[in-house]
Structure formats: C-alpha cells, structure tokens
Amino acid sequence: MTMEKEKELSFEEALKRLETLVRELEQGDLPLETSVQKYNDGLILAKRCHDLLKNAESVVVKLAGADGLTDFPKPQE
Amino acid sequence: MERSPITVSALNRYLKAKFENDRNLGDILLKAEVSNFKRHSRGHLYFSLKDETSQIAAVMFAGAAAGLSFAPKDGDKVLVEGYVSVYEPSGQYQVYVQKMTDAGKGDLWLEFERLKAKLEAAGLFRADRKRPLPRFPAAVGVITSPTGAAVRDVIQIIGRRWPLATIIVYPALVQGAEAAESIVRAIRRANADRRAEVLIVGRGGGSIEDLWPFNEEAVAYAIRDSALPVVSAVGHETDFTIADFVADLRAPTPSGAAEIVVPDRKTMAERVSELAGKLDYVTKKTLKAARERLDSSLSSIVFRTPERLLEQADVRLTNLSDRLGRVRPDRTLASRRTAVAALEARLGAKIAAAVAAAGFRYGQVAGHLELVNPLAIMAKGYAVVRKDGRIIRTVADVAAEDTIDVRLADGAADCRVLSVRKDA
C-alpha cells in the first residue's frame, strides 16, 4: 500500500482495511518487520477515516429529472 | 326585470335553512366507510364517509363522540345516524354525526387481505429473498414526492448522520390513480441508473386511500424485481402496506428509513478510534515480546551459532583431509582433489550464507528495536568470558588453574585463572 492510494480510499474501504489489519495483528505470528509496516499502514488508514468523517460538509442532494441529475432545490423549512 | 344582488353569506344562510327544513335530510341513517379520519385536539372528529364511487364530509362533535363504543379509524365500515347541514363559513355541506357504530371491516381491507394472501403464496414475502443493505452506501435513492414531508425528513436526517452519502431523489406521485405506475417507473429508473446503492420507497402519513398505491400489485412486483435493496417507508409506525412485506426492510416512517440506511458519523468516529487504540496496543505488545525474545536469544544467535557452524565445518574439513591423506595417490588423487575442492567451496558458501543470515536477522531486529549492539559494547572494552564453551557469569563457576576463553571485539585470548575472589 502506498500513501497515494490510501488518500483516495472510501470510508468503507479504509475502515475495512483497518479492521482486517488490526485482526491480523491481534492474531500475531507476523514477522516483526511486517507488524511494524502494518502498524504504519493502520495509522494512515485511521487518519483517512477520521478525515473523511470530519471533512464531510453537507449532504449532496440530486433530483433525477427528465434530463438527468440536477441539484435538488433546498427543502423549505 | 331588475334583480338585486345578494351576499355570499345570505346565500349560505339560505342553503342552510333549505337543508334543515328538508324532512329527509333532518334524520338519516347512513351505511359508509370512514376515511381521512382526524381527531381534533378539542375532541371533535372530522372525517369522510364514502362508498365505492362517492364521498361526503362528516363531523362528530366531542359531546356525541364521547358516546362512541369504538375508536373509529380509516377503513372502518360504519352505520351513522345524524343530519345533513351546511357549514356557513365554507359553504360546505356535511353530515353531522350523532351516533356511529362499527359495521365490520371495510372493503379496502378485504382487498388488502386478498392481495396479501396472494402475494404471500407467490413467495414475494419470503425471508430468504431479503437482501442485506449496504453498510456504507455512497448514494441513497429516495423514491417519493419531491415536495412532500417525507423527502424533507430523509434529507435532514441523512445530512445529520452521514453527509458522506449522496441522496438522489427519484420523483414519483405517491397518491392518486397514477401513483402506482409512477412509483414502478421510478424504481425501474433507479435500477437502470445504478447510482444509488439502496432505495427508500415511501411517503408521509395519510388516509388508507392516500397510502393505497403502496398496496398495489404492480408496486409489489417492482420492489421484488429491484436489483437494489429496498427499504419501505410508508406513512406512520402503525401503517402496514403490501410494499412493507415485499421490501427488504420495513422502516416505520421515512425518518426511520433514513436512520436505517446510513450509519451514524459519531458512532463511526468512535469505532475508528477504538481500532486505532487496538492497533497501538497490539503493536506495543508485539514489540515487547520481540524484545524479550531477542534478549533471551542474543547469546545463542549472535555468538554461538556462527561459531558452531564454523567448528562443524572445521571438523568436516579435517576429516576430508585425513581421508585424502590415506588414499593411494597413484589412483584417485586427482578426482579426490577436485571433490574436496568442490566440497570446500560449497561448505564455505553455506557458512557465509548462515553467518550472513544470522547477522541480517539480528540487524533487522536490532534495527527495529534500537537495541544496543553487543559487539559495540565489546568494542568499548567489555569482554565475554567462557569456560568449556559456556559463558561465565559468576566467580562461582571458575576456580584457580581453570583455562578460560576471553573474547574481545576483535579476537580471543586463552587465559589461566590465577586465583578467584568474590566481592564482599
């Protein structure tokens, strides 16, 4: 895994990888060097997840009209 | 002839008098179905009374309603006693209900039960065809009226819980004769688009007639045929429709559906933190275990193994040389020499590889843990003392006149013990 690839991961993919990685580490039996590498990867993945959660501003709403997707008019409060 | 205009109030007052003076309208007994039932906060009941083709507004004032022996609701078949009159401010004529009794289930409910039984027999409600919902949908399709309360609630709740998702509204009519077909088209379009990963199909609360499109067979089959999982969200908690039975999941309301289809941002942040914590803990544990393993095996890996390999090689070499000396030179000397040379070369390569592997492994481990290299310690003036190959750690293990081996960073000295002194 490279840094570049992790920056583009969806939340789901990043979380799934993080979960897998923690499970592998918990099972042990990994060479030390691999453990350290996975630890570093895990830190990057956790940061990616947190960034995605933190940076999501407001939900994008589209209307599927006759001529494709358009912005949905803001609902009246 | 000259005519003078009258006011609207005068007209309504006149009509009201006409209604109330009519002998037939003053006391009626009506067989009907309740619809659009609403209970006003003051206890008055407002609803419609209907049959297959026609309906009329009705009101039952709190005083009369107090005498009811059942809780009327939409779809109830009832017998009504009362009179018809005009409500002057709106000019609307309506039935003023004085008595109302339950006359059994309404026809719409019978139709509902009939279709439900039919579709159930056709296998549309089977539990094994319910699909799981995606855990983190990138896009949620919402099939409902683009102007209703339902779409507003869904947008608000998904926006709060999981703004990472995109919402795609597929507009559909959700009441009236064309609603069922419109809903079917929207479900098919969402499936053709393949942008959304899960669909919410529904509308806000209303009368049984309002919700009826969601009891249509065509809608049921469209949900069955949808490749995208469908969450039904029709009306209120207490409303059940055919769509609810066919859908992969029934949500009690549109808001409920929004809560179901996306995860919660806060919960997920906690989950990620929990995983990061585990990551830290497990890695620290692994490093600690590795350090202990290294500590306990330093002497064998770093010192002994390469030397033992060298000793073994030495023995084999001596062996071969001896055998070489014993053979008759006139016969196989040349071939033996070649064999020995080959063996020597292979042995040398193996030893070198073993030493390199041990050194490499040590280097790796020591590098990660930033441990102090024992050879570096020796270079500072420390020595490893051995007797008969075993490391001496205490004066109790040596006696005067013993021969010991003192290993320094760059070589070894064979020594004889003069005397032994234990520190006080």
Side-chain angles (χ1 to χ4, degrees):
Chain A
M1 276 189 290
T2 65
M3 292 281 284
E4 286 313 306
K5 261 172 78 187
E6 259 121 50
K7 278 182 186 155
E8 292 160 19
L9 287 180
S10 69
F11 180 87
E12 178 173 21
E13 191 54 38
L15 180 71
K16 212 158 69 186
R17 286 200 195 177
L18 181 58
E19 283 171 333
T20 307
L21 204 140
V22 168
R23 200 164 50 239
E24 284 170 355
L25 284 172
E26 279 179 335
Q27 277 165 0
D29 307 335
L30 292 172
L32 196 58
E33 200 177 16
T34 315
S35 294
V36 172
Q37 181 58 48
K38 284 189 186 295
Y39 173 73
N40 287 332
D41 289 347
L43 289 184
I44 296 167
L45 289 168
K47 184 176 183 306
R48 169 71 180 156
C49 290
H50 275 308
D51 284 351
L52 279 169
L53 292 178
K54 213 169 54 198
N55 298 339
E57 294 278 334
S58 57
V59 67
V60 175
V61 187
K62 297 281 182 191
L63 181 71
D67 19 303
L69 294 190
T70 52
D71 284 339
F72 189 78
K74 274 248 154 69
Q76 309 298 312
E77 291 304 323
Chain B
M1 194 170 99
E2 196 64 19
R3 292 192 299 169
S4 54
I6 58 165
T7 63
V8 173
S9 310
L11 175 60
N12 278 350
R13 204 159 45 239
Y14 176 80
L15 283 169
K16 185 181 165 84
K18 273 281 181 199
F19 272 87
E20 291 185 350
N21 287 333
D22 187 287
R23 263 197 308 153
N24 295 323
L25 294 179
D27 181 17
I28 56 162
L29 177 64
L30 195 60
K31 184 181 94 175
E33 187 181 306
V34 174
S35 174
N36 285 315
F37 184 84
K38 284 183 193 71
R39 186 182 293 274
H40 193 273
S41 56
R42 288 199 198 111
H44 309 321
L45 312 180
Y46 298 92
F47 49 99
S48 301
L49 292 168
K50 55 174 283 186
D51 59 18
E52 293 76 18
T53 53
S54 198
Q55 63 176 335
I56 185 170
V59 57
M60 188 171 194
F61 292 122
L68 279 171
S69 60
F70 73 112
K73 60 181 185 309
D74 290 342
D76 283 351
K77 279 255 168 155
V78 289
L79 279 176
V80 164
E81 286 175 59
Y83 60 92
V84 181
S85 183
V86 171
Y87 180 59
E88 276 184 49
S90 66
Q92 186 186 27
Y93 67 86
Q94 53 189 352
V95 179
Y96 290 78
V97 180
Q98 289 166 312
K99 275 187 193 167
M100 183 159 70
T101 52
D102 190 0
K105 283 184 171 184
D107 290 343
L108 281 176
W109 284 110
L110 291 178
E111 168 60 15
F112 176 87
E113 292 297 339
R114 186 195 64 77
L115 183 61
K116 191 180 155 210
K118 179 183 165 191
L119 295 179
E120 184 155 30
L124 265 69
F125 308 159
R126 281 216 319 268
D128 61 7
R129 53 159 302 282
K130 307 274 182 207
R131 290 151 301 193
L133 306 184
R135 214 172 142 204
F136 303 99
V140 176
V142 186
I143 292 169
T144 190
S145 158
T147 54
V151 78
R152 200 186 56 217
D153 291 349
V154 168
I155 290 171
Q156 196 208 338
I157 287 167
I158 292 183
R160 173 163 51 76
R161 282 174 64 93
W162 197 250
L164 285 75
T166 300
I167 299 170
I168 303 169
V169 179
Y170 291 94
L173 297 169
V174 291
Q175 66 188 71
E178 288 155 44
E181 200 197 319
S182 173
I183 294 163
V184 168
R185 265 203 312 273
I187 292 175
R188 290 197 184 132
R189 169 150 187 214
N191 272 279
D193 264 10
R194 281 303 161 92
R195 281 199 179 84
E197 292 164 25
V198 59
L199 301 179
I200 296 174
V201 179
R203 54 156 291 149
S207 71
I208 181 173
E209 289 82 17
D210 292 341
L211 306 187
W212 199 255
F214 296 91
N215 288 324
E216 298 277 0
E217 198 166 350
V219 171
Y221 275 99
I223 293 173
R224 199 273 310 259
D225 294 337
S226 170
L228 303 170
V230 173
V231 176
S232 67
V234 185
H236 298 299
E237 175 91 51
T238 49
D239 297 321
F240 271 89
T241 62
I242 297 289
D244 290 324
F245 295 106
V246 192
D248 296 289
L249 199 72
R250 172 195 184 254
T253 59
S255 303
E259 306 254 351
I260 287 168
V261 297
V262 292
D264 180 42
R265 171 148 65 156
K266 251 187 255 154
T267 313
M268 280 304 132
E270 282 162 16
R271 169 75 179 141
V272 172
S273 296
E274 181 199 328
L275 284 167
K278 274 190 183 175
L279 187 72
D280 241 33
Y281 171 76
V282 169
T283 308
K284 274 184 187 137
K285 213 172 75 178
T286 307
L287 286 178
K288 188 161 168 271
R291 186 188 294 265
E292 280 163 6
R293 219 167 52 229
L294 182 65
D295 282 346
S296 75
S297 62
L298 263 184
S299 55
S300 62
I301 290 176
V302 178
F303 296 116
R304 279 208 214 137
T305 309
E307 287 179 5
R308 196 182 291 155
L309 281 170
L310 277 171
E311 282 161 15
Q312 286 170 359
D314 206 34
V315 169
R316 283 185 70 185
L317 205 54
T318 312
N319 240 332
L320 286 166
S321 299
D322 287 353
R323 284 165 63 193
L324 192 59
R326 281 199 299 275
V327 295
R328 301 249 301 276
D330 56 325
R331 280 170 136 186
T332 53
L333 185 60
S335 71
R336 291 285 173 148
R337 240 185 215 147
T338 315
V340 169
L343 280 169
E344 270 185 299
R346 274 172 58 196
L347 208 51
K350 273 197 176 159
I351 292 163
V355 171
F360 177 67
R361 236 189 110 194
Y362 168 70
Q364 267 188 319
V365 174
H368 284 313
L369 297 180
E370 297 161 7
L371 278 185
V372 179
N373 182 345
L375 291 173
I377 299 180
M378 288 165 72
K380 287 179 190 162
Y382 294 87
V384 178
V385 178
R386 272 185 279 196
K387 188 176 89 176
D388 304 328
R390 282 176 42 228
I391 291 177
I392 302 300
R393 292 192 170 81
T394 159
V395 292
D397 289 347
V398 284
E401 295 304 311
D402 277 353
T403 307
I404 54 171
D405 169 59
V406 176
R407 174 154 281 279
L408 298 163
D410 57 350
D414 296 328
C415 306
R416 176 156 296 145
V417 178
L418 295 176
S419 63
V420 178
R421 234 175 19 257
K422 187 167 168 67
D423 288 341

